[in-house]
Amino acid sequence: MLIDLKGVAKIYAGLVPFRALSDVNLQVDTGEFAAIVGQSGSGKSTLLNLIGLLDKVSEGTYLLDGIDVSTRSDADLTRLRGTKVGFVFQFHYLLPDFTVLENVLMPSAVLESRPSKQDRSEAMRLLERVGVAKHAGKLANAISGGEQQRVAIARALARGKPLILADEPTGNLDTANSDAVFKLMREIHEEKKTTFLIVTHDERIAAQCDRIVKVTDGRIVDDQRV
Amino acid sequence: MLFALRVGFRYFRSGGSQIILSIASVAFGVTVYLFITSLIFGLQKGFIATTVGSSSHITVLPLENVARILLIKGVTNLGTSLPFNDRELVLRNYVSTVAELDKIPGLIAVSPVSSGSGTVIKGGQVRTISILGIDENRGSQIFDLRKAMKFGILDLGGQGCTVGVELARLLGLTVGDKVRAVSAKGVEMVMRITGIFKAGNINANERSFYVSLANGQRLNDMVGAVSRIETQVQDPFVDAVIAEVIAAKTGLKVQTWQEVNGDLLSGLAAQKQTTDIIRLFVMILVATSVASVLIVSVMQRSREIGILKSMGASTFALQGIFTYLGALVGFSGALVGTGIGGSLILWLGDLPGDSSIKPGFWMPIEMQTRFLVEAFFVTAGIATVAALLPARRAALMNPVDVIRQG
Ligand SMILES: Nc1ncnc2c1ncn2[C@@H]1O[C@H](COP(=O)(O)OP(=O)(O)O)[C@@H](O)[C@H]1O
Ligand SMILES: [Mg+2]
C-alpha cells in the first residue's frame, strides 16, 4: 500500500481554528489512477498537501510507502517528498529563468546538485513523451500554456517518482488542452504504472479515472472504483 | 551547495534592471567609501608629512632635576623643593648615546642637535634665530635639507651655514654672503651662507640657522655636549614601544612627537571619526540596497520557492540561493566600484589644481591598494550579510501558502 490515512484530521490554526478535514480514511495502492472530486473549499487540496508531505496531519496517522511520517523530521520529510512525490498544480510553476530541459532536470538538481547523464537522457525522453522535446532549449516562459503544463508533468515524473499528485492540473487549460493533458497522464500511467491522484471538478475527467473519491466538507463521503 | 549557487547565479543573470540598479548602488557605495578614505588619508598624510615628517619623532633629552623631599631629622616631610639649577641641561655623553641609539632596530634616523637662540646680523639688520648645530648627514635624515635646498648646496663645513628662504628674503641674503651670528650665550662667529632652503613650515624658513655640530656647540656654549638627540621611526604612529625601549636603554628623558603635537593629533582623530561615520553610513546604504532588492526578489519568486520546496529543496539550499544572489550583487558591485570608482578617484586626485597639502593638485587624494582590498571585501561582505535575512525568509516560506495563493 502506497498511501494509508487513518482517522486523519487537519485543523488550520488561527484565531478561530478551522477544521478542514475530519476522520479521513483513505488507502491507495501502488499503480492506482484515482480522482478526488468535491466542491470548491471541500478540502481536496488540503488532502493532497497532506499526502504530498507539504503539510502535517493534525490527528490520525499517515503512512507513506509504509513510513509513518509523523515520526520523521522536517528535513527527512523534505527528502522523502523529493524522492517519492511529484506535483502538478493548476498553474505550471515552471521556473521562468530556466530552460524547459533545465526545469525537468530541476528535481535531480535539487537532490544531487548536478544532474547526471542519465538524468539528462531521462529528461529528454520525458519531454519527448509529453511532446515538447523540440522546445527543450527554450526558456520556460517562452512556450504556450498547454506546453508548459506538459513540461510540469514531465518534471513531476522525473526521477521515476512513484506518486504523482495533481491538483486541478487542467483547471487553467481550454478543453482541447485539458483532454490532451489528461490523456497524457492516462497513457503514462499505463506505461509506467505510476500512481496518480488527480484533484478535479471536471466530471468528464473524473469519469475516466479508475476510482473516484468524493470529498464534502472535509469528509470522504464517497469512494468508488469504476 | 552547487545547486543553490547555480540557481542563485541564474537569478542574478536574469535579474534585469533590478539587479543592475542594486549593483550600481553598491558600486556607488564603494566609490564613496574609497573616495572618503583616500581623501582623508591623503590629507592626514600631507599634514603629517609637513609637520611630523621632517621633524623628530622621538627626541632624547637630558633628565630634568627631580623634585626632592626635604628631610630634617625627626620630621618626615617639610614639603618639596625644586632645586634651582644654574646650568643649562645638556647631554654630555651624547656620543655613546648616539652609538647606542644607532643599534636600536626601528630607528631610521638619529641626529644629535645643539640648539640655542641667538641673532643674526647683516648690515644694519638684526633677526632672531635659532642656532641649530647638526651633523650634515645625520640631520638630513630627519629634515632633508639637501632636498629642501632652493639655492646653493648643503655644506656646513668650515664657516658654512644654511638659512631658510624667509630669513634670506628679510635680510636680502644670497649664497656666498657673510653674516655675523651672535648666540644668546654671547659667542660671536662670522658665517658664510652656502645654501638657502625652503621648509614646509614658515617658522623654520624664518628662524632656523643651521651650522655644523662643532660650530653649534661653540656658539651655544656646550662644547662636548648637545641639547638633544632627534630620531625618526618608520611609522610615526607606532613609536610608543620604541620610545619605551629608548628610555630604558639610555635612562634619559624621551619625548614623542605626539606629546608635542597634541592639538594636531586630536584634530586628526576627529577627522578619522568623521570618516568612520561616513563609512558606516555608506555601508548602511549598501546593506539596505542589497536587502531591499532581495526582499523584492524573494517576494516575486515566492511561487518558485514553493515549487522548489515541493521538489525537496531544503531550507538550507533555499537560503543558499538568495544568499548567493546577495553575495553576487555585492561582489559585482564591489568589483565595479573598485574598478570604475577607483579609477575615477585616481583621476580626481591627479587633476591639476591648487592644494597646499599636495602642491600642484586639486585634492590630496592618496589611494592605497589596501583601501581597494578593504572596500572590496567590506562591501561584498556586508552585502552578503544583508542578504541573509531575506534569504532566511525565503527559506522559511510555507510552500502550501504560496501555492494556494497562486
Ligand atoms: N492555510 C489555511 N488556513 C486556514 N484555512 C485554510 C487554509 N487552507 C485552506 N483553508 C480552508 O480549508 C478549506 C479547504 O480548503 P482547500 O483544501 O483548499 O479546498 P479545495 O481544494 O477543495 O477547494 C477551505 O475552507 C479553506 O478556506
Ligand atoms: Mg483546491
Side-chain angles (χ1 to χ4, degrees):
Chain A
M1 196 168 311
L2 187 58
I3 296 166
D4 187 4
L5 295 166
K6 281 206 184 81
V8 163
K10 176 68 195 177
I11 299 157
Y12 285 115
L15 214 52
V16 183
F18 183 81
R19 206 174 177 88
L21 289 177
S22 298
D23 194 29
V24 169
N25 294 290
L26 180 68
Q27 282 75 39
V28 179
D29 277 323
T30 304
E32 285 201 57
F33 193 88
I36 299 173
V37 298
Q39 293 195 327
S40 178
S42 56
K44 306 181 294 295
S45 296
T46 302
L47 178 59
L48 218 60
N49 291 340
L50 289 181
I51 293 171
L53 307 177
L54 286 176
D55 217 341
K56 286 181 171 164
V57 303
S58 310
E59 292 168 10
T61 56
Y62 171 31
L63 306 183
L64 173 62
D65 210 7
I67 300 163
D68 182 354
V69 300
S70 64
T71 63
R72 298 306 171 103
S73 69
D74 282 355
D76 276 354
L77 294 184
T78 302
R79 219 166 304 126
L80 203 58
R81 184 165 68 226
T83 50
K84 297 232 185 275
V85 190
F87 290 92
V88 182
F89 298 98
Q90 185 171 354
F91 188 74
H92 58 77
Y93 294 126
L94 297 179
L95 304 186
D97 301 313
F98 291 81
T99 65
V100 165
L101 177 62
E102 284 170 331
N103 266 281
V104 179
L105 285 169
M106 202 54 75
S108 308
V110 162
L111 293 181
E112 52 196 38
S113 278
R114 191 173 194 97
S116 65
K117 249 205 171 95
Q118 288 96 301
D119 291 330
R120 287 182 172 275
S121 49
E122 183 213 19
M124 272 321 286
R125 266 202 311 279
L126 284 167
L127 282 174
E128 263 158 42
R129 186 63 196 80
V130 300
V132 279
K134 60 179 180 294
H135 298 315
K138 285 189 186 167
L139 282 181
N141 56 4
I143 57 176
S144 77
E147 287 165 341
Q148 284 171 328
Q149 198 60 320
R150 289 154 190 260
V151 177
I153 291 171
R155 177 177 66 185
L157 289 163
R159 298 190 69 83
K161 286 184 189 133
L163 175 62
I164 303 296
L165 301 175
D167 195 346
E168 304 198 27
T170 61
N172 257 343
L173 302 176
D174 56 32
T175 316
N177 267 314
S178 286
D179 288 348
V181 163
F182 181 77
K183 188 160 161 272
L184 179 63
M185 293 197 284
R186 193 78 238 203
E187 285 166 6
I188 287 166
H189 171 254
E190 302 302 324
E191 291 160 24
K192 301 184 188 263
K193 294 288 169 248
T194 308
T195 310
F196 276 82
L197 277 184
I198 303 166
V199 168
T200 182
H201 50 235
D202 185 333
E203 281 175 17
R204 255 172 354 102
I205 283 177
Q208 296 173 63
C209 293
D210 302 340
R211 178 179 175 186
I212 302 175
V213 178
K214 188 164 197 283
V215 183
T216 305
D217 287 339
R219 287 172 193 276
I220 293 180
V221 294
D222 196 14
D223 186 351
Q224 288 186 0
R225 279 166 216 271
V226 184
Chain B
M1 285 318 279
L2 189 64
F3 162 71
L5 182 60
R6 278 156 51 119
V7 178
F9 187 71
R10 184 65 61 93
Y11 282 177
F12 174 72
R13 246 180 43 190
S14 55
S17 53
Q18 234 177 59
I19 295 288
I20 291 171
L21 266 175
S22 67
I23 291 175
S25 62
V26 172
F28 180 72
V30 171
T31 309
V32 175
Y33 186 100
L34 278 177
F35 176 75
I36 199 76
T37 310
S38 311
L39 180 64
I40 295 297
F41 181 76
L43 270 174
Q44 300 209 341
K45 206 179 141 187
F47 274 125
I48 290 167
T50 47
T51 50
V52 180
S54 48
S55 58
S56 180
H57 293 164
I58 302 170
T59 308
V60 180
L61 297 159
L63 276 183
E64 280 162 22
N65 287 329
V66 182
R68 281 188 313 216
I69 295 168
L70 292 178
L71 287 174
I72 287 179
K73 238 193 178 112
V75 184
T76 24
N77 192 351
L78 281 178
T80 50
S81 97
L82 213 71
F84 176 74
N85 198 325
D86 59 348
R87 290 197 58 86
E88 195 185 347
L89 294 168
V90 289
L91 291 170
R92 301 223 159 266
N93 299 328
Y94 78 94
V95 177
S96 63
T97 311
V98 166
E100 224 172 320
L101 292 176
D102 279 341
K103 281 185 279 182
I104 295 178
L107 284 186
I108 55 169
V110 177
S111 169
V113 178
S114 160
S115 86
S117 54
T119 50
V120 64
I121 302 162
K122 164 77 180 170
Q125 289 208 74
V126 182
R127 287 276 156 187
T128 310
I129 53 167
S130 177
I131 299 166
L132 298 164
I134 58 161
D135 175 282
E136 260 174 47
N137 294 323
R138 286 181 176 272
S140 287
Q141 286 176 328
I142 306 275
F143 167 42
D144 196 345
L145 273 167
R146 284 194 185 88
K147 215 172 118 192
M149 217 45 89
K150 283 284 155 205
F151 308 100
I153 53 157
L154 176 67
D155 178 12
L156 303 180
Q159 307 303 109
C161 75
T162 180
V163 297
V165 284
E166 198 55 25
L167 186 65
R169 189 181 66 81
L170 289 166
L171 294 180
L173 299 174
T174 54
V175 173
D177 284 359
K178 292 218 160 117
V179 292
R180 212 142 48 87
V182 184
S183 75
K185 293 284 165 68
V187 184
E188 187 177 323
M189 281 180 81
V190 173
M191 308 298 293
R192 194 170 46 85
I193 310 277
T194 52
I196 297 170
F197 67 86
K198 184 169 194 260
N201 132 5
I202 286 223
N203 199 41
N205 288 335
E206 194 180 324
R207 307 276 300 256
S208 294
F209 189 87
Y210 285 99
V211 297
S212 68
L213 188 56
N215 284 340
Q217 287 169 326
R218 199 177 319 156
L219 277 164
N220 294 323
D221 189 23
M222 54 173 83
V223 174
V226 294
S227 319
R228 60 177 183 265
I229 302 169
E230 299 185 346
T231 70
Q232 277 197 349
V233 293
Q234 197 75 49
D235 180 355
F237 283 100
V238 294
D239 56 8
V241 180
I242 301 183
E244 268 170 40
V245 171
I246 294 175
K249 282 217 166 152
T250 61
L252 293 166
K253 189 184 167 195
V254 166
Q255 194 174 45
T256 63
W257 69 271
Q258 285 97 329
E259 286 161 14
V260 182
N261 295 290
D263 287 352
L264 173 80
L265 276 175
S266 51
L268 291 183
Q271 227 176 27
K272 170 129 194 342
Q273 279 167 13
T274 316
T275 326
D276 289 345
I277 290 169
I278 296 173
R279 289 205 282 206
L280 180 71
F281 282 141
V282 169
M283 288 305 119
I284 291 172
L285 164 91
V286 165
T288 18
S289 147
V290 171
S292 68
V293 77
L294 274 160
I295 288 167
V296 171
S297 175
V298 165
M299 270 169 12
Q300 283 174 341
R301 298 182 188 281
S302 57
R303 290 165 163 194
E304 296 176 40
I305 294 165
I307 198 74
L308 283 170
K309 282 194 144 187
S310 80
M311 279 185 235
S314 64
T315 323
F316 188 60
L318 279 162
Q319 180 153 8
I321 292 174
F322 289 95
T323 309
Y324 281 129
L325 180 57
L328 282 166
V329 169
F331 274 89
S332 337
L335 205 64
V336 174
T338 44
I340 299 182
S343 321
L344 205 71
I345 291 164
L346 282 178
W347 172 77
L348 267 181
D350 285 344
L351 276 190
D354 189 16
S355 154
S356 59
I357 308 284
K358 195 178 171 192
F361 291 102
W362 183 39
M363 272 189 266
I365 285 173
E366 276 262 353
M367 179 82 84
Q368 300 262 295
T369 318
R370 69 190 159 96
F371 296 163
L372 290 171
V373 174
E374 184 185 287
F376 183 90
F377 284 106
V378 168
T379 324
I382 292 223
T384 310
V385 170
L388 286 175
L389 223 64
R392 186 92 200 127
R393 244 177 65 163
L396 295 180
M397 252 179 205
N398 185 351
V400 175
D401 289 340
V402 289
I403 287 167
R404 188 161 41 94
Q405 284 155 16

